[in-house]
Amino acid sequence: MRVAIVTESFLPSANGVTTSVLRVLDHLAARGHQAVVVCPAPAPPTYAGFPVVAVPAVSYRGFRAGLPSVQLAGVLDGFRPDVLHAASPFGLGAQAITAARRRRIPTVAVFQTDVAGFARKHGLSATAPGIRRWLRHVHSQADLTLAPSEASLADLADNAVARCALWGRGVDAATFHPSRRAAPGTRAVRASVLEGAPAGTAVVGYVGRLAPEKRVERLRGVATLAGVRLVVVGDGPSRPLLERLLRGTATTFLGRLDGDELADAYAALDVFVHTGTHETFGQTLQEAMASGVPVVAPAAGGPLDVVAEGETGYLYAPEDDGALTRAVRVLAADPAMRARMGEAGRRRVLPRSWEALGDALLEHYRAVVATAARDGGRPFDVPVR
């Protein structure tokens, strides 16, 4: 199969969209398919042996947005894909879906980012209704929209987007593993964070982008808890503000980490905490659970599908900072509970391998290709749920 992937985010940017696209490309390569990537510049020339075409882009608060480009049509005409995969389509992805429809190329759009919620958190609330209308238009043009959680499916239905199906996110349970607790890198992180701390102090951590929509400043209450040391992994435009807000607390900023260093950081935690309330999925929650770490997250959006309340961690009322802090306090004070929940979390995510998710995606590709062939290249007429 020949797959054209058009994505709003790619390397060197590190976020959920980029990670998902990389794993899809890895799977396509492993299964012997062909692919091409179109993404905002700058970007590497290839990935997994596939060509990467970078189009002009602009930046806003650390995000790069691809601009409309004649290169896109040239890629589609030259590569002649069997299916177009639009990752979190908004600008570049919208252009790609339109261009694909004109060429009768079946399209699969992947809903991954709550753009309207992002706009509200960046002081652009007035634009949110217009963004929702635009997303409705974009996804309504696709033959199939894949959403990562039941909450996302409900949000799409509320926005009158039809032809939707569930496609979750995989996790690398080999890299993110409880056995890393004994690794030198993990021990070094814990030794640095716990230096001078009383015996029994718990390491509580956040991993992710440091930006307004992530609301990491809500961890100030956690950072002042007795018996807790806070670790923040990640980077972004909010880091200077967060460093000021958390100055004088027992907080360590580790910056952006990848690969083994990131896996070691997860394994160094006793509790993982998430603060943002506009997550369509919550990949960092899965990575923490794969690492055997209990999680605390808001009862909103993607975390509702990921976290088993009281079994793998706690879900708190989304706007209740006190509830967030209380949940962390309970776990920080109870090592036995942490061990039970960490083991349960690991069991819960083991079936969610990227290999299984990749094969499910290939079946979605085949479905839209078969339907297009049957209907002469026309989009779906019957909603898929």
Side-chain angles (χ1 to χ4, degrees):
M1 186 177 296
R2 299 172 66 83
V3 183
I5 296 183
V6 179
T7 176
E8 305 289 347
S9 179
F10 199 64
L11 296 173
S13 294
N15 53 53
V17 175
T18 297
T19 298
S20 179
V21 170
L22 296 181
R23 298 294 80 79
V24 168
L25 290 168
D26 291 339
H27 194 74
L28 291 174
R31 291 290 189 262
H33 299 285
Q34 299 179 60
V36 64
V37 179
V38 180
C39 64
T46 63
Y47 181 82
F50 301 132
V52 176
V53 179
V55 303
V58 296
S59 294
Y60 176 74
R61 297 199 178 190
F63 283 97
R64 290 175 296 132
L67 299 173
S69 172
V70 295
Q71 290 174 273
L72 179 56
V75 169
L76 295 181
D77 290 337
F79 185 67
R80 299 180 64 83
D82 297 305
V83 64
L84 174 92
H85 173 132
S88 196
F90 190 78
L92 186 62
Q95 181 194 4
I97 291 171
T98 298
R101 284 174 62 86
R102 290 172 179 163
R103 290 160 175 78
R104 294 184 176 271
I105 299 169
T107 55
V108 173
V110 180
F111 179 74
Q112 289 181 252
T113 307
D114 181 0
V115 184
F118 172 86
R120 285 191 292 269
K121 292 303 175 185
H122 282 265
L124 302 172
S125 297
T127 67
I131 289 172
R132 283 182 63 84
R133 288 193 296 271
W134 174 247
L135 288 174
R136 181 190 311 137
H137 167 76
V138 171
H139 285 278
S140 294
Q141 300 303 303
D143 292 330
L144 178 65
T145 289
L146 300 177
S149 65
E150 292 292 345
S152 295
L153 279 176
D155 188 50
L156 289 166
D158 288 344
N159 201 22
V161 177
R163 302 186 302 276
C164 297
L166 184 67
W167 181 63
R169 296 290 176 273
V171 64
D172 183 351
T175 298
F176 301 105
H177 197 286
S179 65
R180 280 190 176 269
R181 189 82 169 186
T186 301
R187 292 200 303 268
V189 171
R190 287 187 64 85
S192 174
V193 171
L194 290 172
E195 184 177 2
T201 297
V203 179
V204 179
Y206 166 88
V207 176
R209 178 173 159 79
L210 307 183
E213 71 277 7
K214 300 299 184 180
R215 304 177 67 183
V216 186
E217 67 278 2
R218 304 177 75 189
L219 293 178
R220 183 169 177 80
V222 172
T224 58
L225 283 173
V228 165
R229 292 286 176 94
L230 179 64
V231 173
V232 177
V233 179
D235 213 338
S238 292
R239 180 167 177 173
L241 172 62
L242 291 168
E243 289 180 334
R244 290 196 300 272
L245 289 175
L246 295 171
R247 187 177 297 139
T249 67
T251 302
T252 301
F253 286 84
L254 296 182
R256 173 180 163 178
L257 300 177
D258 297 294
D260 288 339
E261 288 186 325
L262 177 60
D264 287 345
Y266 274 116
L269 303 179
D270 295 304
V271 180
F272 179 84
V273 61
H274 190 70
T275 50
T277 56
H278 292 282
E279 300 298 321
T280 57
F281 187 68
Q283 182 64 12
T284 56
L285 294 169
Q286 284 203 142
E287 291 168 351
M289 290 162 65
S291 303
V293 179
V295 300
V296 175
L304 292 170
D305 280 10
V306 178
V307 182
E309 166 66 16
E311 179 183 342
T312 65
Y314 289 116
L315 294 168
Y316 60 88
E319 300 302 325
D320 190 341
D321 291 0
L324 183 164
T325 303
R326 288 192 296 274
V328 172
R329 181 190 292 119
V330 168
L331 283 169
D334 195 334
M337 180 186 295
R338 296 200 303 265
R340 289 195 303 273
M341 287 187 169
E343 183 179 348
R346 171 80 180 172
R347 290 198 305 269
R348 184 173 174 85
V349 300
L350 280 178
R352 303 177 184 180
S353 70
W354 275 113
E355 182 178 21
L357 270 292
D359 285 341
L361 180 62
L362 289 172
E363 289 304 310
H364 286 304
Y365 288 164
R366 294 186 183 105
V368 296
V369 170
T371 301
R374 184 192 68 211
D375 296 343
R378 294 191 303 274
F380 281 146
D381 293 320
V382 179
V384 176
R385 292 303 304 271

